[in-house]
Amino acid sequence: MKVQVNSRRGNKISDFEVSESTSVQEFKKLYARKFPKTYVERQRFTYGPAPGMPLVDGKSLSDYNIKDGDVLVFKDLGAQIGYAAVYVIEYAGPLFLYPMFYFLRNQIYEKASSHPIQFTQQIALACWTFHYAKRILETLFVHKFSHGTMPVFPNLFKNCGYYWSAAVGISYFVNHPLFTSPPIERVYLGLALFIIGELGNLTTHLMLSNLRSPGTKERKIPRGFLFNYVSCPNYFLEFVAWVGFSIMTQTAASIMFTIAGAGQMWMWAVGKHRRYRKEFDGKEGRQQYPKSRKVMFPFLA
C-alpha cells in the first residue's frame, strides 16, 4: 500500500510503499534512506486529525489502522544527542569547576593565603566530587534510558547552564577565605545525612536498573527498600543528601540549590507517579499499583 507523508504545514513530502505489517521503526529507516539528513532519531510521525496520534516505536502501522492512501505528518525533531552523553557533559562541569575555587584559591581570592583551608571546606570538596563522579559512573554503567536521544537545543545548554552555574556559585562561597564553618557537630550531622542520602540513592538506582531486562524497555513495579513507601525514593534520598550538604556548609547558595533541586525533582516524581498508576491500573490482567505509596516523601506526599 502507499502512504503519503506531509509536512506540518500540509505540504506533500513524498509517498512510500509499505505494508500494514511495516513497523514504525522500519518506516523511519525507510524515510531516512530517502532523506539521509533526517536520521531515525530526529523523526516524529503523527496520524489522524491535528495534533495527531504519535507513532511509537515497537508498534506497526496496522496498530494505528493506517490504510492505503492515508497521510502521515512528519516533524523534524532537530539535531539529537544521546542521553548518556548529555548527562556526562552536564555532570563533568560541576566535577571540574567546583575544585577550581579550592585549588586555585590564591589566584581567585584576595589575601587567601592568610586564611588556611578549613576542615569543612575539605569535607565539602570530597562530598561534591563524590556526588558528581558517582553520577557520571551511574550514567555510564547503571542507568538504562527509555529514549536513546534528546534534542541538542535547548536541552544540553539548559541543563549545563543550570548545573555549571550552580557549581560556580556554591564553590565560590564555600571555598571563600572568609567562609565561616558551622559548629563541628553540625558538620558531622550534615556529613552523615549526605552519606546516607548518597548510598541510599545509589541503592535505588541499582534496583531500578535491575528491574529492566537487557535490551528491553519493559517496565515493572519497583518493590523493596523505600519503594514500599514512595514512587521515587531516588529523588527523596538525593534531597536528603543535599540537605546534609547545606547543613554542613550553611551557605545561601547551597540552600537555594537544594530548594531548586527539590522543586524540580518533585515535578518529575509527580509525573512518574501518575505514569505508574496509569500503566499499572489493575485492569485486563495488569498489576495494580500500590495505592498507599506516596510520591516522593515517605508518609507525607
Side-chain angles (χ1 to χ4, degrees), residues 83-96 126-145 158-160 162-164 166-167 170 194 197-199 201-206 233-243 257-258 260-266 268 272 296:
Y83 264 77
V86 170
Y87 290 130
V88 168
I89 293 170
E90 68 183 47
Y91 298 152
L95 182 62
F96 292 105
C127 289
W128 185 277
T129 302
F130 175 83
H131 175 79
Y132 283 100
K134 165 182 163 292
R135 280 197 167 188
I136 290 175
L137 292 173
E138 285 177 334
T139 297
L140 296 176
F141 302 109
V142 176
H143 293 323
K144 297 175 181 177
F145 301 103
K158 179 181 66 176
N159 293 5
C160 288
Y162 171 73
Y163 283 106
W164 293 22
I170 294 172
F194 183 86
E198 289 291 306
L199 295 181
N201 177 265
L202 173 61
T203 299
T204 59
H205 285 163
L206 291 171
N234 49 325
Y235 295 152
F236 169 69
L237 289 162
E238 178 151 343
F239 170 70
V240 169
W242 285 114
V243 167
F257 181 68
T258 300
Q264 180 61 74
M265 288 188 291
W266 170 257
W268 290 337
K272 290 188 176 184
M296 178 173 159

Side-chain angles (χ1 to χ4, degrees), residues 22-125:
T22 299
S23 69
V24 173
Q25 191 70 9
E26 290 170 341
F27 185 78
K28 288 182 176 180
K29 292 178 180 179
L30 186 64
Y31 189 94
R33 284 198 293 270
K34 199 165 190 176
F35 302 99
K37 291 184 178 180
T38 314
Y39 46 89
V40 169
E41 289 77 14
R42 65 186 293 171
Q43 298 174 26
R44 182 176 185 267
F45 294 96
T46 57
Y47 175 67
M53 179 183 296
L55 272 60
V56 180
D57 291 347
K59 293 190 175 183
S60 65
L61 300 185
S62 60
D63 292 328
Y64 298 93
N65 200 30
I66 296 173
K67 302 186 180 301
D68 183 51
D70 283 348
V71 176
L72 302 180
V73 177
F74 167 74
K75 178 183 179 181
D76 185 352
L77 298 176
Q80 301 287 301
I81 184 171
Y83 264 77
V86 170
Y87 290 130
V88 168
I89 293 170
E90 68 183 47
Y91 298 152
L95 182 62
F96 292 105
L97 287 172
Y98 186 101
M100 288 176 57
F101 291 86
Y102 180 92
F103 291 108
L104 301 176
R105 63 197 310 267
N106 290 332
Q107 289 74 32
I108 295 173
Y109 306 104
E110 292 185 6
K111 302 179 180 179
S113 58
S114 61
H115 297 273
I117 293 175
Q118 301 178 49
F119 174 70
T120 303
Q121 293 171 317
Q122 295 174 329
I123 294 297
L125 172 66

Side-chain angles (χ1 to χ4, degrees), residues 128 169-170 174 242 245-247 249-259:
W128 185 277
I170 294 172
V174 173
W242 285 114
F245 188 88
S246 297
I247 291 173
T249 59
Q250 67 173 16
T251 61
S254 59
I255 293 172
M256 291 172 60
F257 181 68
T258 300
I259 294 173

Side-chain angles (χ1 to χ4, degrees), residues 165-240:
S165 62
V168 170
I170 294 172
S171 185
Y172 176 84
F173 290 106
V174 173
N175 293 299
H176 199 283
L178 300 180
F179 170 78
T180 301
S181 174
I184 192 63
E185 295 82 8
R186 198 181 304 167
V187 173
Y188 285 133
L189 170 62
L191 178 60
L193 287 174
F194 183 86
I195 293 173
I196 291 170
E198 289 291 306
L199 295 181
N201 177 265
L202 173 61
T203 299
T204 59
H205 285 163
L206 291 171
M207 292 175 69
L208 287 171
S209 180
N210 292 332
L211 271 181
R212 183 173 294 176
S213 303
T216 71
K217 296 182 179 181
E218 178 187 14
R219 288 167 58 87
K220 300 177 183 177
I221 298 177
R223 302 183 189 277
F225 193 41
L226 291 183
F227 283 108
N228 290 337
Y229 304 98
V230 294
S231 292
C232 298
N234 49 325
Y235 295 152
F236 169 69
L237 289 162
E238 178 151 343
F239 170 70
V240 169

